[in-house]
Amino acid sequence: MDLQLGGIHHLTAITADAQANVRFYTDVLGMRLVKKTVNQDDTSAYHLFYGDGEASPGSDITFFEWPVPPARRGTRSIVRTGFRVGADSLPYWRDRLRAAGVDTSDVKTVDGRATLAFEDPEGQRLTLYDDGGAYAVHPWAKSPVPAEHQIRGLGPITISVPDVGPTATVLTQVMNMRAVRHYRSPHDVARTVHVFEMGEGGAAAELHVAVEPGAPVAREGAGGVHHVAFRTPDYDGLAAWTERVQGFRVPNSGEVERFYFRSLYFREPNGVLFEIATDIPGFSADEPMETLGEKLSLPPFLEGRRAAIERGLKPV
């Protein structure tokens, strides 16, 4: 039981419009484009990473650009992406987002935290959480958002399942998460959201599981989320998790080298795709920290195909 995940590592979603995606996440949300690369399994598609000023593990939301129809909302999927901000920043964000034409909720308390809910231009459901200043802050000097209000990293991620039982078994018995509380969904008070935490807990280390029996099954598409990744510090940690997941006979990918991190993929029993990823080596493995994301980065095994890959991508 000593093996513990460190929190959310990154979350990967789908966009059908990389140019508009970059404008929203950098110009409106003020995040740093920390890596501009391609999907290593589909080099015709961008893989864009946004994070804090130091591209810290746990701050990254990433997007595959695929020309696909909008996602269909439903269960057996990741339904809401959380970001953390500082205390007293939510009124700033409410006013900033509304000035940019983004429809937002009012600032309200959910599960004991002040929150602000809204959607990105393709309908991905996002929530800003006041994290109470519980974490290190790495602002981005070139962000249009003042340092004290910038997004600090990922917060609670919410998945939807029709039955919490099988998912809870994997979260607690395989992944060593802890079931810590539950609350009524702010979007449907008839439904319950169960909170599981990992590592030291807190907003950066929580997975929220909304139970939605009878809801239609989600369909992957633009504005939807592809998978969520959890943190392990290094390659020894990933090897231990791989052995553990395999020991429980959970079908999995085996270790996959992503160059900026190393990963293990598997699905929980209701079909949501999980990844465990290493904090090392990080996004400065192939370009200086000062200029992250300014040019197309390719892992070494793709460099020989750079010219062809670049011809297939629209500039962003």
Side-chain angles (χ1 to χ4, degrees):
M1 289 293 291
D2 291 333
L3 192 61
Q4 288 290 322
L5 296 165
I8 307 298
H9 184 283
H10 69 267
L11 176 137
T12 295
I14 299 169
T15 178
D17 187 341
Q19 290 74 24
N21 185 266
V22 171
R23 288 196 296 273
F24 183 77
Y25 282 87
T26 60
D27 295 348
V28 178
L29 295 191
M31 302 183 76
R32 182 182 185 186
L33 180 61
V34 298
K35 186 64 64 179
K36 183 168 55 176
T37 184
V38 293
N39 181 322
Q40 295 180 16
D41 300 320
D42 174 10
T43 58
S44 70
Y46 273 119
H47 194 180
L48 304 172
F49 293 74
Y50 306 92
D52 67 10
E54 296 184 6
S56 308
S59 73
D60 305 312
I61 183 170
T62 93
F63 289 87
F64 298 142
E65 186 200 25
W66 285 326
V68 293
R72 180 179 66 200
R73 293 180 175 180
T75 190
R76 302 183 188 275
S77 67
I78 297 167
V79 296
R80 187 164 292 276
T81 303
F83 290 112
R84 293 177 290 103
V85 296
D88 304 323
S89 287
L90 293 178
Y92 165 86
W93 277 105
R94 177 196 58 208
D95 296 344
R96 177 179 178 83
L97 290 167
R98 290 178 179 177
V102 179
D103 188 24
T104 81
S105 70
D106 293 324
V107 175
K108 57 184 178 182
T109 299
V110 177
D111 185 34
R113 296 189 180 100
T115 68
L116 182 73
F118 60 103
E119 297 177 6
D120 79 3
E122 293 177 292
Q124 184 175 347
R125 287 166 283 185
L126 309 173
T127 295
L128 297 176
Y129 290 83
D130 178 351
D131 73 358
Y135 300 90
V137 179
H138 305 288
W140 171 226
K142 298 180 181 179
S143 173
V145 176
E148 67 270 26
H149 295 310
Q150 287 182 25
I151 289 173
R152 297 174 168 183
L154 288 166
I157 303 300
T158 304
I159 69 173
S160 168
V161 299
D163 178 4
V164 70
T167 298
T169 296
V170 167
L171 295 180
T172 57
Q173 301 302 311
V174 180
M175 302 176 72
N176 285 341
M177 294 188 193
R178 304 177 295 277
V180 291
R181 61 184 183 275
H182 61 271
Y183 62 93
R184 291 294 180 187
S185 169
H187 311 289
D188 183 348
V189 295
R191 293 177 171 173
T192 301
V193 182
H194 298 260
V195 179
F196 296 82
E197 68 176 15
M198 61 204 98
E200 296 182 355
E206 290 179 359
L207 184 71
H208 292 201
V209 181
V211 183
E212 299 182 310
V217 176
R219 181 188 63 210
E220 190 173 276
V225 177
H226 190 266
H227 66 267
V228 59
F230 306 101
R231 296 178 63 181
T232 193
D234 52 30
Y235 304 134
D236 288 343
L238 187 67
W241 279 109
T242 301
E243 181 179 0
R244 183 173 180 83
V245 169
Q246 291 176 341
F248 278 90
R249 299 186 178 182
V250 177
N252 65 88
S253 66
E255 293 187 23
V256 178
E257 179 59 68
R258 295 302 190 194
F259 188 65
Y260 307 109
F261 42 84
R262 192 175 295 174
S263 299
L264 173 74
Y265 300 87
F266 58 96
R267 291 188 185 274
E268 57 81 39
N270 280 298
V272 178
L273 182 59
F274 287 170
E275 175 183 354
I276 297 175
T278 60
D279 286 353
I280 59 172
F283 295 113
S284 60
D286 61 349
E287 57 183 342
M289 179 63 73
E290 293 75 17
T291 57
L292 289 179
E294 294 183 4
K295 66 177 185 179
L296 183 69
S297 294
L298 296 174
F301 77 95
L302 290 176
E303 274 295 345
R305 298 166 54 194
R306 174 176 284 275
I309 290 171
E310 288 185 331
R311 281 197 301 272
L313 299 171
K314 296 180 180 178
V316 295

